[in-house]
Amino acid sequence: MPPGTKPQATDRLEDDDYPAYTMGRAAEMIGATPGFLRAIGEARLITPLRSEGGHRRYSRYQLRIAARARELVDSGTPIDAACRIIILEDQLEEALRLNEELRRNTADPSGGPADTSEDAGASAEGRGVPTEGRGAPTEAADR
């Protein structure tokens, strides 16, 4: 959005990172229980934002991650292992994206470095998905 432009209310409807869903609605949407959402929050897979009243709010992006965790758990994977799998999948996706970007820049005849400033906001870390220690196990995996 250009500077000085007032955000429209409908802009939030397009934003995958906007925390629009209450815990009850989020659980209903992915076919899980509020307890499941709390469990994956405690495992640090997602970190819901809080409303002014302290209630958890989930974004569409977080719900996609929670739905993936539910699929793994429903197939018999322990919740901590499911969370670690999803974190690793996310890290792999980010590494593949960066590798592709580097390949394009290497093939670029101008030879200039890539401008990744706009990509920073799209990283998993900015979306409530832990990415700390990109090569080291996260706390969720150590349990």
Side-chain angles (χ1 to χ4, degrees), residues 5 8 13 16 20 24 36 41 44-46 51 56 60 68 70 78 80 85 106-107 119 130 135 140:
T5 304
Q8 299 291 320
L13 297 175
D16 268 0
F36 177 79
R44 295 186 170 170
L45 179 61
I46 58 175
S51 67
R56 291 174 180 90
R60 288 190 311 219
R68 173 72 176 126
R70 184 174 182 275
D80 285 342
I85 288 167
T106 302
D119 291 337

Side-chain angles (χ1 to χ4, degrees), residues 46-108:
I46 58 175
T47 305
L49 292 175
R50 299 282 182 150
S51 67
E52 289 181 19
H55 300 282
R56 291 174 180 90
R57 299 279 189 225
Y58 297 88
S59 69
R60 288 190 311 219
Y61 177 78
Q62 290 174 326
L63 292 183
R64 283 194 296 273
I65 290 178
R68 173 72 176 126
R70 184 174 182 275
E71 288 173 7
L72 290 169
V73 169
D74 286 351
S75 69
T77 306
I79 196 162
D80 285 342
C83 292
R84 182 66 179 146
I85 288 167
I86 293 166
I87 290 168
L88 290 170
E89 287 174 343
D90 190 69
Q91 289 174 352
L92 175 61
E93 182 180 325
E94 179 73 4
L96 292 171
R97 185 191 65 76
L98 289 172
N99 283 341
E100 181 58 32
E101 185 177 308
L102 288 171
R103 279 189 203 101
R104 280 194 311 269
N105 290 337
T106 302
D108 182 6

Side-chain angles (χ1 to χ4, degrees), residues 20-41:
Y21 303 100
T22 63
M23 178 182 277
R25 180 68 180 131
E28 179 184 316
M29 288 174 70
I30 66 167
T33 64
F36 177 79
L37 290 174
R38 280 191 291 274
I40 62 174

